[in-house]
């Protein structure tokens, strides 16, 4: 689908003024987008304009003179008073974007919220949009991927792969006939899940309007009943801070987006005037992927939850008092704004708008696609980088694309994007012990590693236990990320392996990127039907469990010692980490890149003894990989014959009379210790296609292998629990259902566990500076997870290199 676009700058005019300099001599803290304010209202300046095209409106504010100000911006339809676009960041740099019709009368309203800046400069642009061709027949299909090879094949197609996946399949968005042909040509099997995304979008919007009309207040901490716009997030963040100045601070992350928008975060903690107080830092962030609206909603509701809980007292107040909380509701502000403002909802001749995934980076597109603003450019949704494939963790490997037009394009290099550099800054300048990044959809709690070939880290037992605990609250499945499919360049694969802070991805909900608000946000957060966490606490309780882990000294590390008042202690560590061997666009593989990271955090002494919550000094990337020493031999192989007369598995395969059901038993300790189980079979007839499934005694599918075009299948299960299992063989092709079975039976083989590996210890460099900034103490400090290390009188020049308590 192509767009014909033309940009024209329209002068802002009124009956009394023709300049674009807006002025307000007084600041008033209020919403600029709630309604049009009358002329002469304190703190407001206005302009009237007329849209010259059918298409996109962009209104911008920039500071007209030096100052520290906070201005907001809104554009209304003059006739109805409806807000068409708005922006409410923390400074006087604003970008409001929305859709208008030719001849539409508009009111542009600028409001001085706070600060000293009295004047700002206004710019208003219109961009004509003419979709070429008919509406895109967008749909969601489930692609069968029972083997890792199938998943790798799917990822190599550069289709729009969702996070809804399991052991045997992955849901994929097909935007048009070209996508359908690509999938069909691959030979992978698929079935339709959602036949018409356009109709579904229209129905969801209708359902949201009905819910908001009938529900004056929801079960969310804020009581909200509808999806936020970007300007809602911005305004609520600074209002939350204004109403709670001793508990909440709103801040702007250091780098604006490609289109110039600020990224807003919230810090929630006691002692805001002393941010370097040594408390454990807990981070929750949302919307790396633009269309995943519930991710931002959950993050913002969590911020309100913390404030409400602190005020109410009790357990939440105690946890907030022990931690420092950072919330970034929307990481990818450009992409989210485009997706959220897409109009009309469900018009998928503009499919690229509402279902956009990536950010707005133009630099990696071919020259002919670098023109136009992000919401209306010739490349459509394909312009930009997937922020959650752009981090340094295993960047450049499987599970991300080197093709600029792919929805999982990894970017030109690790941290090439301002969105990921903002998160890198956030994590690198604090001791972030706990981090959750929110996505949709698949009802999953994911942990590292993102690549199957990377063995779990030494923290795997406690890491898994924490993920399992949170999953028990929201009803999701707790698993390593690679069990979904291989991903590289993801958030926690960098943050955890570089810092040791626990990082998780939540895939919220079981269907859709932004389902109806009542089910996708309210039910999932509060633990209400029909969410999987109904009656279990939902994501609210999962977040509280994560906060409780951050407040637990046994979950991280602690430095204690003594320092004079006003002295600053700093922990620093600089290192290089290789990426994956880099898969090039032409299919060749280049050497890894080495990425330099510096972790620097500080504590300001209030005099006397201090306690500082920190991550382990040895980063997990070099600390080692998880395994366990065998406690016995592996079980002997089992040969399973094709028993005649075994009844077909009609309950699971009602249309397949040739299914074979073969039971077997797995032993356990103390007799044997099995680290891996492999069930395999083979056959000689090439036009036969047998699929292999393995079930446990409870009827759960625990492994499978269902490749096409092969004469063998191998199903693998790691650390199989002792018990009864069933192997099921299905004659998929049904080439000749009456012919005798031609497979050679099955073989079950076992392997012992792989012992753990340990890497070299790494230290922090601990320095102490006096009130003049002079270094008066220096030491290398070693600390492991769960340890408390006494560094002595570090500022006296006699600091110890770490003594356990």
């Amino acid at each position: 689908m192509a767009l014909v676009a033309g940009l024209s700058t329209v002068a802002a005019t009124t009956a009394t003024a023709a300049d674009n300099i807006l002025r307000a001599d007084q600041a008033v803290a209020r919403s600029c987008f709630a309604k049009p304010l009358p002329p002469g209202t304190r703190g407001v300046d206005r302009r009237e304009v007329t849209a010259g095209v059918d298409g996109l409106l962009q209104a911008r504010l920039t500071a007209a003179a030096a100052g520290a100000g906070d201005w907001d911006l809104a554009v209304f339809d003059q006739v109805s008073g409806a807000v068409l676009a708005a922006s409410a960041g923390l400074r006087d740099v604003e970008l409001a974007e929305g859709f208008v019709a030719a001849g539409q009368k508009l009111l542009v309203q600028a409001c001085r919220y706070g600060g000293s800046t009295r004047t700002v400069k206004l710019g208003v642009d219109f961009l004509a949009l003419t979709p070429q061709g008919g509406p895109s027949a967008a749909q969601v299909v489930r692609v069968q991927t029972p083997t890792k090879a199938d998943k790798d094949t799917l990822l190599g197609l550069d289709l729009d792969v969702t996070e809804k996946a399991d052991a045997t399949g992955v849901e994929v968005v097909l935007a048009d006939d070209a996508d359908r042909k690509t999938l069909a040509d691959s030979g992978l099997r698929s079935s339709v899940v959602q036949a018409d995304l356009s109709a579904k979008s229209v129905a969801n919007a209708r359902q949201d309007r009905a819910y908001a009309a009938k529900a004056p207040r929801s079960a969310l901490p804020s009581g909200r009943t509808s999806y936020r716009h970007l300007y809602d997030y911005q305004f609520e963040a600074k209002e939350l801070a204004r109403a709670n100045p001793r508990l909440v601070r709103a801040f702007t992350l250091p780098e604006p987006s490609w289109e110039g928008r600020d990224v807003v975060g919230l810090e929630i903690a006691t002692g805001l005037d002393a941010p370097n107080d040594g408390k454990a830092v807990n981070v929750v962030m949302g919307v790396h992927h633009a269309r995943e609206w519930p991710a931002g909603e959950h993050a913002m509701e969590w911020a309100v939850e913390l404030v409400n809980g602190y005020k109410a007292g009790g357990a939440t107040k105690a946890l907030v008092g022990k931690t420092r909380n950072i919330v970034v509701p929307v990481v990818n502000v450009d992409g989210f704004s485009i997706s959220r403002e897409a109009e009309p909802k469900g018009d998928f001749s503009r499919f690229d708008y509402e279902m956009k995934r990536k950010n707005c980076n133009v630099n990696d597109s071919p020259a002919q696609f670098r023109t136009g603003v992000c919401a209306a450019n010739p490349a459509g949704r394909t312009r930009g980088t997937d922020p959650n494939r752009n981090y340094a963790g295993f960047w450049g490997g499987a599970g991300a694309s080197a093709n600029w037009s792919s929805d999982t394009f990894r970017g030109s290099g690790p941290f090439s994007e301002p969105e990921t550099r903002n998160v890198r800054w956030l994590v690198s300048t604090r001791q972030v012990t706990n981090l959750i990044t929110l996505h949709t959809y698949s009802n999953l709690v994911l942990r590292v590693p993102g690549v199957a070939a990377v063995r779990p880290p030494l923290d795997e037992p406690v890491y898994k236990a924490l993920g399992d605990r949170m999953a028990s609250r929201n009803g999701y499945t707790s698993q390593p990320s690679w069990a979904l499919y291989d991903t590289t360049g993801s958030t926690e694969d960098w943050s955890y392996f570089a810092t040791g802070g626990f990082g998780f991805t939540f895939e919220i909900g079981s269907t859709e990127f932004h389902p109806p608000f009542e089910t996708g946000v309210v039910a999932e957060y509060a633990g209400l039907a029909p969410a999987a966490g109904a009656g279990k606490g939902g994501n609210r309780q999962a977040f509280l469990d994560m906060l409780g882990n951050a407040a637990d000294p046994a979950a991280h590390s602690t430095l204690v010692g003594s320092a004079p008042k006003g002295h600053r202690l700093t922990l620093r560590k600089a290192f290089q980490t290789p990426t994956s061997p880099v898969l090039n666009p032409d299919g060749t593989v280049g050497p890894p890149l080495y990425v330099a990271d510096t972790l620097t955090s500080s504590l300001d002494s209030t005099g006397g003894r201090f306690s500082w919550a920190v991550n382990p000094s040895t980063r997990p990337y070099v600390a080692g990989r998880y395994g366990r020493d065998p406690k016995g031999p592996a079980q002997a192989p089992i040969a399973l014959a094709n028993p005649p007369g075994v009844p077909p598995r009609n309950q699971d395969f009602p249309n397949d009379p040739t299914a074979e059901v073969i039971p077997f038993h797995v032993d356990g300790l103390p007799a044997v210790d099995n680290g891996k189980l492999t069930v395999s079979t083979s056959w000689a007839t090439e036009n036969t296609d047998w699929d292999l499934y393995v079930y446990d005694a409870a009827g759960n599918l625990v492994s499978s292998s269902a490749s096409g075009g092969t004469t063998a299948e191998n199903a693998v299960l790691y650390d199989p629990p002792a018990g009864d299992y069933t192997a099921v063989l299905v004659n998929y092709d049904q080439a000749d259902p009456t012919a005798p079975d031609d497979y050679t039976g099955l073989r079950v083989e076992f392997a012992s566990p792989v012992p753990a590996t340990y890497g070299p210890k790494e230290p922090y460099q601990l320095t102490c500076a006096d009130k003049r900034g002079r270094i008066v103490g220096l030491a290398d400090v070693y600390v492991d997870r769960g340890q408390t290390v006494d560094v002595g009188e570090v500022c006296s020049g006699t600091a110890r290199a770490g003594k356990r308590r």
Side-chain angles (χ1 to χ4, degrees):
M1 187 271 293
L3 290 172
V4 175
L7 181 65
S8 58
T9 302
V10 179
T13 60
T14 66
T16 59
D19 66 274
N20 63 345
I21 303 299
L22 308 183
R23 182 180 182 89
D25 292 330
Q26 186 174 1
V28 180
R30 64 181 163 212
S31 170
C32 197
F33 55 80
K35 62 182 179 180
L37 297 169
T41 301
R42 290 182 300 118
V44 177
D45 202 355
R46 307 163 14 129
R47 296 290 185 270
E48 295 177 357
V49 299
T50 300
V53 299
D54 288 321
L56 186 73
L57 156 80
Q58 280 196 330
R60 292 180 181 268
L61 287 185
T62 55
D70 180 358
W71 282 69
D72 296 340
L73 179 65
V75 182
F76 300 91
D77 177 85
Q78 285 195 40
V79 176
S80 67
V83 61
L84 303 175
S87 181
L90 309 183
R91 303 189 299 162
D92 46 20
V93 177
E94 306 291 349
L95 169 58
E97 192 171 69
F99 294 89
V100 295
Q104 189 172 8
K105 302 294 185 181
L106 308 175
L107 171 65
V108 181
Q109 178 170 282
C111 308
R112 183 180 167 194
Y113 181 91
S116 60
T117 302
R118 295 174 179 268
T119 59
V120 289
K121 184 182 297 185
L122 171 68
V124 180
D125 296 324
F126 296 102
L127 186 69
L129 303 176
T130 307
Q132 300 298 296
S136 300
Q139 59 185 187
V140 178
V141 300
R142 175 180 167 85
V143 181
Q144 296 182 33
T145 57
T147 68
K148 184 178 184 302
D150 292 331
K151 287 184 170 63
D152 290 343
T153 297
L154 174 61
L155 294 176
L157 301 178
D158 285 335
L159 295 173
D160 189 357
V161 177
T162 76
E163 281 72 33
K164 181 63 178 292
D166 54 34
T168 62
V170 181
E171 290 190 9
V172 177
V173 178
L174 302 179
D176 50 30
D177 290 338
D179 282 355
R180 279 180 279 277
K181 183 177 187 304
T182 296
L183 181 59
D185 290 348
S186 74
L188 294 172
R189 311 167 195 159
S190 67
S191 58
V192 175
V193 175
Q194 182 57 248
D196 189 342
L197 272 179
S198 177
K200 182 60 174 169
S201 176
V202 171
N204 286 354
R206 186 184 306 117
Q207 186 172 337
D208 281 348
R209 289 192 294 271
Y211 175 69
K214 73 178 182 180
R217 183 174 178 84
S218 73
L220 296 172
S222 70
R224 194 171 179 89
T225 58
S226 62
Y227 281 109
R228 293 169 170 89
H229 298 262
L230 181 61
Y231 51 82
D232 289 312
Y233 285 110
Q234 295 166 331
F235 183 71
E236 286 183 39
K238 60 189 180 187
E239 281 291 282
L240 201 62
R242 186 173 70 88
N244 304 277
R246 295 185 177 181
L247 186 65
V248 183
R249 179 178 72 92
F251 65 96
T252 300
L253 278 75
E255 294 202 37
S257 68
W258 287 104
E259 295 222 310
R261 293 181 175 89
D262 284 341
V263 180
V264 173
L266 286 163
E267 184 173 12
I268 302 165
T270 57
L272 286 177
D273 55 342
N276 299 322
D277 58 4
K279 295 175 182 174
V281 179
N282 181 52
V283 173
V284 175
M285 53 189 172
V287 194
H288 273 78
H289 294 149
R291 61 195 174 192
E292 298 174 5
W293 304 352
E297 296 295 333
H298 277 63
M300 192 69 208
E301 293 301 328
W302 173 239
V304 179
E305 181 87 53
L306 291 171
V307 173
N308 292 351
Y310 183 84
K311 289 180 175 180
T316 301
K317 180 176 183 177
L319 291 175
V320 172
K322 295 176 181 177
T323 57
R324 190 162 291 274
N325 292 273
I326 305 292
V327 179
V328 182
V330 182
V331 172
N332 178 6
V333 288
D334 288 343
F336 172 72
S337 179
I338 291 169
S339 175
R340 185 67 183 90
E341 302 309 317
E343 291 290 353
K345 295 291 187 296
D347 176 4
F348 277 32
S349 63
R350 292 172 171 174
F351 172 82
D352 299 319
Y353 293 167
E354 189 176 337
M355 288 295 162
K356 183 175 176 62
R357 172 185 172 104
K358 301 193 286 184
N359 72 358
C360 285
N361 184 359
V362 67
N363 295 331
D364 297 311
S365 307
Q368 66 268 32
F369 296 128
R370 295 181 187 175
T371 60
V373 300
C374 191
N377 69 90
R381 84 168 195 280
T382 59
R383 182 162 102 178
T385 298
D386 180 345
N388 205 41
R389 300 296 184 273
N390 186 244
Y391 292 88
F394 309 118
W395 183 91
S401 179
N403 179 359
W404 71 272
S405 64
S406 169
D407 284 282
T408 58
F409 176 55
R410 68 197 184 196
S412 58
F415 296 116
S416 62
E417 310 306 305
E419 294 84 1
T420 57
R421 291 196 298 270
N422 276 332
V423 176
R424 185 190 200 184
W425 166 82
L426 189 66
V427 172
S428 298
T429 57
R430 294 163 176 80
Q431 289 287 340
V432 176
T433 62
N434 297 71
L435 180 150
I436 295 176
T437 175
L438 301 171
H439 290 255
T440 61
Y441 57 98
S442 200
N443 277 8
L444 294 172
V445 175
L446 300 174
R447 64 183 184 277
V448 303
V451 181
V454 176
R455 289 177 58 197
L458 290 173
D459 285 324
E460 169 67 3
V462 292
Y463 208 158
K464 179 180 184 300
L466 178 56
D468 291 351
R469 178 174 176 80
M470 292 190 290
S472 74
R473 306 296 195 173
N474 55 27
Y476 299 175
T477 298
S478 170
Q479 65 184 39
S481 292
W482 61 259
L484 181 68
Y485 45 71
D486 274 354
T487 57
T488 52
S490 63
T491 311
E492 64 269 30
D493 264 352
W494 169 74
S495 66
Y496 169 75
F497 281 109
T499 73
F502 288 139
F504 291 90
T505 288
F506 281 20
E507 294 288 352
I508 300 169
S510 61
T511 61
E512 300 186 68
F513 298 110
H514 44 267
F517 188 83
E518 183 179 10
T519 56
V521 179
V522 179
E524 291 290 339
Y525 185 91
L528 305 174
K536 303 173 184 177
N539 278 323
R540 172 189 180 274
Q541 188 58 55
F543 294 161
L544 285 169
D545 287 342
M546 188 66 152
L547 182 61
N549 183 268
D552 182 2
H556 43 78
S557 308
T558 307
L559 299 183
V560 297
S562 299
K565 183 177 180 179
H567 284 50
R568 171 167 289 186
L569 284 69
T570 298
L571 284 176
R572 185 180 186 276
K573 183 166 55 172
F575 50 84
Q576 287 188 326
T577 308
T579 66
S580 298
V582 178
L583 299 175
N584 297 316
D586 62 2
T588 61
V589 180
L593 305 177
Y594 277 81
V595 179
D597 276 307
T598 301
L599 309 180
T600 304
S601 55
S602 298
L603 179 143
D604 293 330
S605 175
T606 57
R609 298 288 290 176
F610 64 81
S611 179
W612 192 356
V614 299
N615 285 311
S617 59
T618 302
R619 57 197 162 110
Y621 183 82
V622 299
R625 301 294 180 264
Y626 176 62
R628 55 186 176 85
D629 295 332
K631 298 180 180 179
Q635 186 172 343
I638 304 172
L640 301 176
N642 175 9
V646 174
R649 194 176 179 84
N650 292 323
Q651 181 178 358
D652 291 278
F653 303 97
N655 300 317
D656 188 355
T658 64
E660 299 286 352
V661 180
I662 306 173
F664 64 95
H665 184 80
V666 174
D667 296 331
L669 292 169
V672 298
D673 189 1
N674 296 316
K676 179 181 177 182
L677 171 155
T678 303
V679 183
S680 59
T681 188
S682 62
W683 57 93
T685 307
E686 291 187 1
N687 66 348
T688 302
D689 183 5
W690 288 91
D691 291 344
L692 174 61
Y693 301 87
V694 180
Y695 292 81
D696 64 14
N700 299 309
L701 179 66
V702 294
S703 185
S704 64
S705 180
S707 303
T710 67
T711 58
E713 299 290 357
N714 297 279
V716 176
L717 178 64
Y718 291 96
D719 291 319
D724 293 324
Y725 291 80
T726 303
V728 177
L729 276 158
V730 179
N731 186 351
Y732 180 83
D733 279 344
Q734 297 285 289
D736 185 0
T738 64
D741 296 343
D742 66 343
Y743 64 86
T744 59
L746 292 92
R747 184 173 177 84
V748 185
E749 297 179 306
F750 301 89
S752 295
V754 178
T757 58
Y758 298 89
K761 292 280 189 178
E762 286 185 336
Y764 285 118
Q765 185 182 65
L766 175 64
T767 59
C768 179
D770 64 15
K771 296 178 180 179
R772 297 183 180 181
R774 298 175 301 183
I775 301 298
V776 296
L778 174 66
D780 285 342
V781 175
Y782 295 81
V783 59
D784 295 330
R785 189 177 303 280
Q787 285 185 355
T788 296
V789 170
D790 192 334
V791 297
E793 296 179 2
V794 64
C795 298
S796 68
T798 60
R800 295 190 284 269
K803 181 178 179 181
R804 296 186 189 181
R805 261 183 33 179

